[in-house]
Amino acid sequence: MKTLRTFLCRALEPVGRTMYVWGGGWNEADDGAGVEACALAPSPRWARFAAQQGADYDWHTTRYRIHDGLDCSGFVGWAVYGVFAACDGCAGYVMPAARMAADFAVRGWGGFTPAPEVHERQAGDVLSTQGHVYLSLGDCADGSALFVHASPPGVQLGGSPARDGTADSQAVALAQGWMRAHRQDWYARFPQAARPMAYLTDYDRFRWGARVLPDPDGVRNMDARAVLDEICNTDDALQACPSVLI
């Protein structure tokens, strides 16, 4: 059964193994999902390309090498594909980042909340704004947000500042600690996980409906640390995501 937990397990598969590529996940016409974003498994090409990149990786030089990595909407579209598709090659869900939260709600998949009314995030929420979209892994006690997204240099965990503006937040520490422990090669090249306050203030929110993506494990009600531990200890994610002990 596809659940909120299995959705998040899927979202972690390309973390630390896929570079940010402008247009990655889109088709040649740049108007929808490409072949890699309409597949159940991560493309082996993503990992091969990522392994060849050093700490000086410059995404500006790889624009529209669409088969080598993912951009933010390509990543979220790929993750969402696994919710609904049973095989490769079905219709995809890649679209401009700013549209995603509202579009998913219009499809009847869940609820939409505009940015000024968003005061918290739960695991599995899709947060989108002009130019970027990310998947929430829950909030921390200090109000900071932990998330997974495709943002230069690649697909990674990130953390926002705390609610009071403190930059060294619990979410940033959690993101960096997990990447350091479980994506050592990536962390050695790209240790930065902090993101600006806009991640708390500027994003519309989509939240999955219980009948579309059920949550029998109660992931949605967990804080960010508990979410990571839960999704990284499932049988379907052991290889992709070792147990979190940080």
Side-chain angles (χ1 to χ4, degrees):
M1 180 177 67
K2 294 177 181 179
T3 67
L4 190 63
R5 185 174 68 178
T6 61
F7 171 62
L8 294 174
C9 289
R10 173 176 172 83
L12 287 187
E13 289 185 58
V15 168
R17 300 174 174 133
T18 304
M19 305 310 298
Y20 179 88
V21 173
W22 183 280
W26 290 73
N27 58 23
E28 298 286 351
D30 203 28
D31 62 3
V35 61
E36 289 85 6
C38 298
L40 295 176
S43 169
R45 186 163 171 172
W46 298 343
R48 289 197 299 268
F49 182 70
Q52 297 167 359
Q53 309 310 312
D56 59 349
Y57 176 73
D58 181 1
W59 65 271
H60 295 91
T61 68
T62 64
R63 291 167 64 94
Y64 294 108
R65 290 181 56 168
I66 61 175
H67 304 295
D68 288 332
L70 291 168
D71 66 12
C72 62
S73 50
F75 165 66
V76 172
W78 174 84
V80 170
Y81 185 84
V83 174
F84 299 104
C87 62
D88 294 350
C90 301
Y93 303 99
V94 177
M95 64 192 73
R99 284 175 42 198
M100 280 190 155
D103 182 274
F104 295 168
V106 168
R107 292 172 188 252
W109 296 347
F112 174 81
T113 303
E117 299 174 22
V118 175
H119 304 298
E120 49 79 30
R121 291 136 298 274
Q122 295 177 347
D125 289 351
V126 178
L127 284 299
S128 70
T129 192
Q130 189 67 41
H132 195 46
V133 60
Y134 71 83
L135 298 179
S136 172
L137 294 176
D139 284 359
C140 295
D142 62 357
S144 58
L146 180 71
F147 42 85
V148 54
H149 65 158
S151 180
V155 183
Q156 60 196 301
L157 298 194
S160 76
R163 187 184 300 108
D164 65 5
T166 301
D168 295 328
S169 69
Q170 293 172 356
V172 170
L174 188 58
Q176 290 178 330
W178 191 89
M179 296 296 291
R180 181 175 60 247
H182 303 301
R183 298 292 188 268
Q184 294 96 336
D185 290 345
W186 182 274
Y187 185 81
R189 291 174 290 166
F190 312 114
Q192 181 58 253
R195 291 296 186 264
M197 182 60 76
Y199 279 72
L200 295 184
T201 60
D202 293 1
Y203 285 74
D204 299 329
R205 185 185 70 202
F206 165 78
R207 180 164 292 167
W208 296 95
R211 283 185 286 187
V212 176
L213 201 58
D215 182 25
D217 311 288
V219 173
R220 183 172 285 142
N221 296 321
M222 298 177 183
D223 67 15
R225 181 179 292 273
V227 168
L228 265 187
D229 191 55
E230 174 68 21
I231 64 178
C232 292
N233 280 287
T234 58
D235 290 340
D236 50 18
L238 285 176
Q239 291 185 349
C241 180
S243 175
V244 175
L245 296 172
I246 61 175

